[in-house]
Amino acid sequence: MTVFLKGFSFTDAFTMNDEMNLQSALLSGYKSRLRPGTDRTIPLNVSVSFHLSFIKEFDEHSGKFSVNGVFILHWYDERLQWDPNSYNGTNRTILPQNQIWIPNFVNINPYHEVSGLGSDLMTVDIEASGLCRWIPLQTFDVICDADVTKYPFDTQYCTLNFILWEQTRDAVFISISESEVGLSLYKVHGLWDIVKTQLYTKVNIYNDNEVIVGFWLNRRSLYYTVSLIIPLLSISMLMGFVFLLPPGSGERVGFITTVLLSYIVFLTIIQDKLPESSEPNISVIGYFLVACVMNGSITTVCVIVSLRFHTCSGINDPIPPYLARLAKCRSKSKVQPFAMDLPDSKSVSLTEDEDFPITWSDVGAGFDKICLTVCAIQCVVTTLIYLGIVCF
């Protein structure tokens, strides 16, 4: 009977004693180790979905992937059915998960110890029809091997793997109610974007049901672009400008040494962030930095050789023919030819009869121009190769 008074509705409702009597009746003689199902030839259907709350951590160096999420599982247990009219309209109740049968899912790729779903704090919501709904909320720490080939523009794939312990495929059938992870509760992570998710089952090599929750994570690379990539490319561009410094300034060696040390600092920073494993591949930016360090070392040697050319004493020192060719990069003539009109209207062209003698300074100047050109080409080619690999 329902009575309406001043906008309020009063209905006949069950009491605490009704629910206590119901739970006592349901648990009387109940065996939590036996799975539901009167006909044992028919597997019990367990419906599974997963909802993500947030990503706690993803450490590429240690391979730890940590998330907070909740499973939602449904199944029918005919031992937990009752007639609501027998208990004053009681149509649902809640029981601790350790008092009834639950699907014993165990995480098989844990970062720490092996653990199952739920805890003693979790409960199971039960309806009069025998429908059980279990919603275990948990933190999952799993192993995820990072592929840092395209770091910091990389995409990672991490999974949570579970098997149904002590239950064969013939006893329990796992059905996926949602093929993707629910993100209605998800709070956006500052470092990772979730590109795609999946939830599916497969049969492993031991013929067991395995539930896999997969995440494709795309790194938010703006911070790394501003703080790492742009400074790195800027330093790479500076390398060739060492050959524009005057040889007599005494700053060439100090300048190129500073650039070389900057590369080594960047290499150390990146190595601290990336895993030590070489599988599946070493980071491309690692190769890029190693190439820059090697080029910086070669450029340092070239600077020393160039200074040696500029400081050779005396123009009468013999210059080998193969070094004299370097001087072709200098101006071919120090005095340009010109024409002069004479009073008798005869035009006379004055040109140098002989080439001016090549000096060691000319060899050094030509060597500097060649090194500057090679450094510029190397910087452009290396940058294009790196960006082409990480962006495609």
Side-chain angles (χ1 to χ4, degrees):
M1 175 182 296
T2 304
V3 179
F4 292 91
L5 180 60
K6 294 184 180 181
F8 293 92
S9 174
F10 298 92
T11 61
D12 293 335
F14 60 90
T15 64
M16 181 185 298
N17 289 331
D18 295 327
E19 190 167 6
M20 289 176 58
N21 294 333
L22 171 63
Q23 291 190 3
S24 298
L26 293 177
L27 297 177
S28 177
Y30 189 94
K31 302 294 184 182
S32 60
R33 301 296 297 178
L34 293 177
R35 73 167 178 86
T38 304
D39 188 351
R40 313 305 278 183
T41 62
I42 301 177
L44 174 68
N45 182 72
V46 177
S47 175
V48 179
S49 63
F50 183 80
H51 296 261
L52 180 68
S53 297
F54 56 89
I55 299 174
K56 291 183 59 179
E57 176 187 8
F58 182 31
D59 188 351
E60 307 96 317
H61 190 271
S62 62
K64 179 182 180 181
F65 179 58
S66 180
V67 298
N68 274 23
V70 56
F71 275 96
I72 300 179
L73 301 98
H74 295 85
W75 69 92
Y76 280 93
D77 191 338
E78 69 281 353
R79 294 171 296 179
L80 300 177
Q81 294 176 347
W82 72 90
D83 182 7
N85 296 325
S86 300
Y87 298 94
N88 198 19
T90 306
N91 55 11
R92 64 182 294 271
T93 189
I94 297 175
L95 291 173
Q97 70 171 46
N98 56 5
Q99 292 187 1
I100 64 173
W101 182 92
I102 58 173
N104 188 17
F105 283 98
V106 176
N107 182 211
I108 59 174
N109 64 331
Y111 186 80
H112 299 293
E113 67 278 357
V114 176
S115 62
L117 284 185
S119 66
D120 292 339
L121 299 176
M122 301 298 170
T123 58
V124 181
D125 185 83
I126 306 170
E127 297 182 4
S129 61
L131 177 63
C132 300
R133 183 176 64 175
W134 183 37
I135 309 178
L137 173 65
Q138 197 164 328
T139 298
F140 303 98
D141 298 330
V142 298
I143 297 173
C144 180
D145 294 329
D147 181 3
V148 294
T149 303
K150 296 184 178 182
Y151 175 90
F153 305 98
D154 52 326
T155 299
Q156 305 294 337
Y157 177 63
C158 297
T159 62
L160 312 178
N161 297 57
F162 298 87
I163 63 170
L164 190 57
W165 199 257
E166 296 180 345
Q167 297 292 340
T168 64
R169 296 172 56 206
D170 298 331
V172 177
F173 175 76
I174 301 174
S175 62
I176 303 299
S177 59
E178 298 179 15
S179 60
E180 296 184 352
V181 174
L183 299 178
S184 59
L185 304 175
Y186 176 66
K187 296 181 180 179
V188 177
H189 194 266
L191 183 57
W192 297 98
D193 282 326
I194 298 180
V195 180
K196 180 182 176 183
T197 63
Q198 64 176 359
L199 177 62
Y200 66 97
T201 62
K202 73 172 186 179
V203 180
N204 59 22
I205 59 175
Y206 303 105
N207 201 33
D208 292 326
N209 285 311
E210 186 171 342
V211 177
I212 299 176
V213 185
F215 302 91
W216 280 267
L217 307 175
N218 189 24
R219 189 191 301 272
R220 295 175 180 262
S221 57
L222 179 60
Y223 168 78
Y224 298 94
T225 301
V226 174
S227 62
L228 181 64
I229 302 300
I230 293 179
L232 189 59
L233 297 181
S234 301
I235 294 175
S236 179
M237 291 168 51
L238 287 175
M239 185 179 296
F241 287 90
V242 67
F243 296 101
L244 296 181
L245 292 175
S249 65
E251 299 294 333
R252 284 193 172 188
V253 175
F255 180 88
I256 191 62
T257 303
T258 302
V259 173
L260 184 58
L261 290 176
S262 299
Y263 281 130
I264 295 175
V265 170
F266 274 106
L267 184 61
T268 303
I269 293 174
I270 292 177
Q271 285 180 340
D272 290 339
K273 291 181 174 293
L274 300 182
E276 299 177 358
S277 173
S278 300
E279 293 294 335
N281 291 300
I282 299 177
S283 175
V284 176
I285 196 172
Y287 287 114
F288 177 75
L289 283 171
V290 170
C292 289
V293 171
M294 295 179 63
N295 290 330
S297 301
I298 296 174
T299 304
T300 303
V301 175
C302 292
V303 167
I304 296 174
V305 173
S306 174
L307 292 176
R308 177 65 178 173
F309 288 154
H310 285 286
T311 56
C312 280
S313 58
I315 60 172
N316 296 324
D317 294 343
I319 300 176
Y322 63 89
L323 292 180
R325 296 177 182 176
L326 298 177
K328 292 182 180 180
C329 295
R330 85 195 205 290
S331 298
K332 292 186 177 180
S333 134
K334 296 181 180 179
V335 179
Q336 298 296 328
F338 66 96
M340 181 175 62
D341 293 334
L342 297 179
D344 56 359
S345 299
K346 293 182 180 180
S347 177
V348 178
S349 177
L350 300 179
T351 61
E352 54 183 357
D353 296 330
E354 302 180 331
D355 291 333
F356 283 91
I358 298 174
T359 65
W360 282 106
S361 295
D362 296 328
V363 173
F367 184 74
D368 289 344
K369 291 182 179 180
I370 292 174
C371 291
L372 176 60
T373 303
V374 171
C375 285
I377 295 174
Q378 175 269 326
C379 177
V380 173
V381 172
T382 305
T383 301
L384 291 178
I385 291 175
Y386 170 70
L387 295 178
I389 292 176
V390 299
C391 296
F392 299 100

